[in-house]
Amino acid sequence: MTAHGRLLIVGAGQAGVQTASSARDLGWRGPITLLGAEPHSPYARPPLSKAFLNGKATADSLALRTPEFYADHRIDLVRDEHVHSLDLAGDGTGSAVAASGRRWAFDRLVLATGAAPRRLPLEGADLDGVVVLRDLNDASVLAGRLHTADSLVVVGGGFVGLEVAAAAAAAGIRTTVLEIASSLMNRVVSPVTAEIVEKAHRACGIRVMTGVRPARFVDGAQGSVAAVELDNGIRLPASLVLIGVGASPRDALAAAAGLRCDNGIVVDDQSRASDGHTLAVGDCANLPDPSPTPGPAPRLRLESVDNAVEQARAAATTLMGSPQPYRSVPCFWSDQGSLKLQIAGLARPDDDIVVRAGKRPGQHTALRYRGTHLVSAECVNSPIDFLSVRRAIAAGTSLSREAAADTQVPLKKHLSAPVTTGRG
């Protein structure tokens, strides 16, 4: 198979679009078809929980590329087609069949099927007013309901839930956030950063309840939600409920085709699935940790724009027959009202923490160490620190904990002694 073949990309989100774009830029000469299940042109998802809700972004402004881009790059964008089966041959060729009956033959296949919002198997979960947020249609429904809601309960204290809570509180809606864990964002930030974020939300009038579990959603009248009842019996009024408890990879299509799946489509560091030919990128992929940090690379899924773009670029080199293993410093960000959280690198719960208080109220940087190695940073309203640490981790720059704790010297100046690190 050469770059003259037919390339089919199933999934028209950030990862799918980037794969198509990068493959063409690297010299793929054959037809490229990009299949999207939504009726919309490919769009950016992060603003859905922020700018789109407060009216600062529209469906048109979220477009990832212009219509002219697809035409100029000879990318056939097909919308509103849901692929329900794959016929894969041993050499990676085959065909994809949509629910409509349309069929696309391919010489090379990339799966960029993304993830779906998790639901809660609770009484009342299907009531009107209990919503999720993943795509543009979800965001449109949520935005409309926020105009009439007087009380919002957000189930889940992760990025999406807190971003929506901040937007709702700013609009004057009585807002409560429920988190089953003992702290917000417990899977992604340290307790000290979580505490700062929680204080900022409380200061904006948001009620935050941690260590609590919803038991059921209460029907008010005519099938609409009126309250959330907790397992301790407390009942919270709610004319609107957002379920924000994470997402599950859309890997059923791959599994049915015989590809190995385990919390996503299992791929190697060149984005190749278990058949050695099909590629998987973005939120649906279970991949080796791409971080340039010492030690073995555990398998994980990364749900971020940064990963979607960077993994797709690396995957395009695999398509071209000159694979470059995917190596990158994973990055995440979340805008929650006036609070901007940026994370560089991946920390583990047992990593040590060195805290650098900012010079201005609301600033904070938590550096995470694994042994003597700087592996991550959690930066609140500190974009310069974020950029400095991201570059330092990528370059293998050394920074002692003692130096890191010295806030009299800017972090950017501290990070000036490059050393070589690698997986051992």
Side-chain angles (χ1 to χ4, degrees), residues 164-361:
V164 173
I173 299 171
R174 186 170 69 254
T175 302
T176 301
V177 174
L178 307 179
E179 172 54 53
I180 187 173
S182 59
S183 64
L184 300 177
M185 301 181 297
N186 67 301
R187 292 183 300 171
V188 293
V189 300
S190 62
V192 64
T193 299
E195 182 179 357
I196 287 174
V197 171
E198 181 176 332
K199 286 181 178 179
H201 284 290
R202 289 185 184 276
C204 293
I206 296 172
R207 183 182 185 185
V208 178
M209 302 177 68
T210 57
V212 297
R213 184 188 300 270
R216 70 186 184 101
F217 304 110
V218 181
D219 189 347
Q222 300 180 337
S224 296
V225 70
V228 178
E229 186 173 298
L230 306 182
D231 60 359
N232 59 10
I234 293 176
R235 183 173 289 195
L236 304 171
S239 57
L240 180 62
V241 175
L242 172 72
I243 307 299
V245 292
S248 301
R250 289 191 173 104
D251 57 7
L253 183 66
L259 300 176
R260 182 187 171 202
C261 295
D262 181 7
N263 184 32
I265 305 168
V266 176
V267 298
D268 62 13
D269 63 1
Q270 296 173 20
S271 299
R272 296 176 301 193
S274 56
D275 66 350
H277 301 284
T278 304
L279 274 60
V281 294
D283 293 2
C284 69
N286 180 311
L287 67 157
D289 181 358
S291 305
T293 52
R299 302 199 67 87
L300 43 69
R301 281 196 315 113
L302 293 170
E303 296 178 16
S304 70
V305 170
D306 175 78
N307 175 70
V309 171
E310 297 303 325
Q311 190 198 3
R313 286 173 174 164
T317 68
T318 301
L319 288 171
M320 296 304 300
S322 301
Q324 299 295 316
Y326 176 37
R327 294 286 184 270
S328 182
V329 179
C331 294
F332 311 85
W333 69 88
S334 178
D335 293 325
Q336 303 170 22
S338 61
L339 182 153
K340 186 178 187 67
L341 171 64
Q342 295 171 292
I343 302 171
L346 295 175
R348 300 172 187 169
D350 57 349
D351 289 337
D352 294 332
I353 306 169
V354 175
V355 176
R356 290 175 58 89
K359 293 184 177 180
R360 299 192 302 273

Side-chain angles (χ1 to χ4, degrees), residues 72-156:
D72 293 345
H73 287 75
R74 294 178 291 115
I75 297 170
D76 182 16
L77 173 62
V78 181
R79 298 177 291 177
D80 207 15
E81 288 285 2
H82 179 74
V83 175
H84 72 80
S85 65
L86 297 170
D87 181 12
L88 277 174
D91 62 355
T93 63
S95 61
V97 181
S100 66
R102 293 183 66 182
R103 180 183 293 267
W104 290 268
F106 55 81
D107 297 297
R108 204 66 187 271
L109 174 66
V110 178
L111 297 175
T113 47
R118 291 193 177 100
R119 308 277 178 162
L120 292 177
L122 300 178
E123 177 187 341
D126 57 349
L127 289 173
D128 186 46
V130 179
V131 301
V132 295
L133 177 57
R134 185 70 185 182
D135 59 29
L136 185 54
N137 288 343
D138 294 336
S140 296
V141 169
L142 179 58
R145 290 185 176 276
L146 285 174
H147 285 303
T148 58
D150 57 15
S151 54
L152 167 68
V153 171
V154 176
V155 181

